[in-house]
Amino acid sequence: MPKKITREFIDGLPKAELHLHLEGTLEPELKLKLAQKNGIDIGQTTIEDVRKSYDYDSLASFLAVYYPGMNVLQTEDDFYELAMEYLKRARQNGVRHVEMFFDPQAHLTRGISFSTFINGYHRACIDAKSINIDAQLIMCFLRDMPAQFANEVLEMAKPYRDMILGVGLDSDEHHNPPLKFAQPYSIATAQGYHKTMHADIDQVDSIEHIKQALEIIEVERLDHGTNIVENQDLVDWVNQKQLGLTSCPLSNGFVTNDMKGKEVVELMKQGVKVSINSDDPAYFGGYIGDNYEAIAEKYNLTAEQLVIFAKNSFETSWISDFQKETYLKEIDDFVEKF
Ligand code: ADE
Ligand code: ZN
């Protein structure tokens, strides 16, 4: 195990990414290229100007840039290219397994058919095998839209059921509690989907929302969710059930001015299975390796602590026990050789 953490160590460390929005991997270069190809006016004509438009300091101000940007995604090939670009970058960052979010409603509401995006994303998951990544999809409901729309999305997804591993909940959490989605989550459970949901950082009702997510919706993971540190009963619950928390340091730094590294380390010390992820890497300044590097530098983490994050990521992923064993051994072999 190295004393000083290097980028080579971070990128070589096998890891799973469990909190990644495919639509959040839209780099300015690809956005501009697709805008020109599809004849979409995005309001900017240079990469520099697109980059400057990636300017926000809260979840709401981020989402106001994020959703309109998706307009450039029009054809199945566009979705494929977006996903493939991410997967190649993830591989360079040591990702071996990824469970990727996508937002059907952000595309359906602008007239793109379910088959267009799911087939593009699924084709990328198949081709990921050739670069040695195991890639899966998680379908998110937008929590600022009605629950009935989420039910309709589940209905539309039926022909593609075997392409989708689980369901999630994202977008603006303010006034949109988990309980609003009790019905779609109960339908998803009956259909055998895995379940996760966002518990964004420092929300007005963070603790109440997390209680609903854990006790009523019975999610298997919390995306972000580090506010549980404020409530020992919740920490005990998460520990007892061995639930995963998917933290995203760089994105936390944008929407709250704090990476929340102190909370992440405190939770890890209490045995919570926290992992490090990139959320929306094109919008929040970096991919998963950059997130490992940022939190390690700012909070003086040891190589042993980064290894725990990497192990947590596989342990809380939705792969078989056999696959988990295989990846954990890959980590041990890497550490031994390094
Ligand atoms: N959609 C994309 N990124 C998100 C985030 N960090 N929180 C909520 N919704 C999102
Ligand atoms: Zn997210």
Side-chain angles (χ1 to χ4, degrees):
M1 196 89 70
K3 284 248 171 334
K4 174 151 176 35
I5 294 167
T6 60
R7 188 59 199 232
E8 195 192 349
F9 176 77
I10 289 173
D11 286 344
L13 182 63
K15 50 182 87 64
E17 176 140 67
L18 307 177
H19 187 154
L20 180 279
H21 300 262
L22 274 170
E23 291 85 1
T25 69
L26 186 58
E27 291 286 346
E29 290 78 5
L30 184 60
K31 192 189 232 181
L32 204 55
K33 181 180 120 177
L34 294 179
Q36 282 161 358
K37 174 179 83 78
N38 293 325
I40 308 277
D41 180 5
I42 55 168
Q44 301 97 28
T45 52
T46 67
I47 289 171
E48 222 16 74
D49 285 347
V50 178
R51 206 163 271 136
K52 272 194 214 135
S53 74
Y54 286 16
D55 180 28
Y56 18 74
D57 58 4
S58 65
L59 180 59
S61 59
F62 157 66
L63 294 172
V65 176
Y66 181 65
Y67 290 120
M70 292 180 202
N71 237 336
V72 303
L73 299 163
Q74 292 286 327
T75 68
E76 185 186 311
D77 280 348
D78 298 343
F79 289 96
Y80 172 83
E81 187 174 1
L82 177 72
M84 242 13 244
E85 277 205 1
Y86 159 71
L87 287 162
K88 285 179 195 153
R89 283 200 167 90
R91 189 67 198 93
Q92 288 163 1
N93 282 231
V95 173
R96 298 283 289 106
H97 170 77
V98 56
E99 297 171 9
M100 312 182 287
F101 297 133
F102 68 105
D103 284 342
Q105 288 150 299
H107 309 305
L108 294 167
T109 47
R110 54 188 184 84
I112 308 291
S113 70
F114 203 99
S115 63
T116 300
F117 51 83
I118 193 72
N119 286 329
Y121 286 155
H122 180 63
R123 188 150 51 87
C125 290
I126 292 171
D127 288 356
K129 290 185 180 54
S130 68
I131 53 167
N132 213 14
I133 298 199
D134 173 43
Q136 303 282 343
L137 294 170
I138 300 176
M139 177 169 80
C140 284
F141 309 125
L142 297 188
R143 66 198 307 160
D144 42 3
M145 291 192 173
Q148 178 53 30
F149 193 0
N151 293 342
E152 288 159 22
V153 169
L154 280 163
E155 198 57 37
M156 277 183 246
K158 272 187 177 163
Y160 309 99
R161 175 66 192 83
D162 60 347
M163 298 181 187
I164 305 167
L165 185 62
V167 296
L169 187 68
D170 62 7
S171 203
D172 195 355
E173 186 167 333
H174 194 49
H175 293 316
N176 293 301
L179 262 189
K180 175 178 164 187
F181 292 88
Q183 193 184 38
Y185 268 87
S186 125
I187 296 169
T189 307
Q191 293 182 5
Y193 284 105
H194 284 285
K195 293 178 293 185
T196 185
M197 83 169 45
H198 277 58
D200 266 295
I201 301 296
D202 296 345
Q203 295 293 298
V204 179
D205 299 308
S206 274
I207 295 297
E208 172 56 25
H209 286 189
I210 291 171
K211 282 186 182 162
Q212 291 178 9
L214 296 178
E215 295 167 13
I216 302 171
I217 309 284
E218 298 186 320
V219 293
E220 296 157 77
R221 289 199 298 254
L222 283 175
D223 299 313
H224 302 296
T226 40
N227 284 83
I228 65 164
V229 78
E230 298 157 21
N231 183 310
Q232 194 57 44
D233 287 346
L234 290 177
V235 174
D236 294 344
W237 176 294
V238 164
N239 264 342
Q240 194 215 329
K241 305 219 179 242
Q242 293 281 289
L243 304 180
L245 255 60
T246 64
S247 190
C248 309
L250 288 175
S251 121
N252 291 345
F254 266 85
V255 300
T256 70
N257 249 332
D258 180 355
M259 270 191 230
K260 300 291 178 191
K262 205 164 122 276
E263 289 79 352
V264 166
V265 171
E266 169 60 28
L267 289 168
M268 183 173 69
K269 285 185 176 157
Q270 292 197 47
V272 175
K273 299 228 167 279
V274 201
S275 60
I276 299 297
N277 306 269
S278 68
D279 207 358
D280 299 281
Y283 290 88
F284 292 132
Y287 287 76
I288 191 168
D290 305 310
N291 277 270
Y292 270 73
E293 193 172 27
I295 194 169
E297 263 177 23
K298 176 130 193 243
Y299 296 90
N300 246 330
L301 303 188
T302 63
E304 283 83 357
Q305 287 173 311
L306 297 195
V307 169
I308 293 174
F309 288 136
K311 288 194 170 177
N312 288 347
S313 70
F314 288 113
E315 282 168 357
T316 57
S317 71
W318 296 330
I319 54 181
S320 69
D321 287 346
F322 174 74
Q323 283 173 300
K324 285 183 188 176
E325 287 301 313
T326 309
Y327 287 124
L328 293 178
K329 178 152 188 331
E330 253 186 55
I331 293 182
D332 287 337
D333 289 347
F334 168 77
V335 170
E336 199 176 308
K337 275 202 213 108
F338 197 85

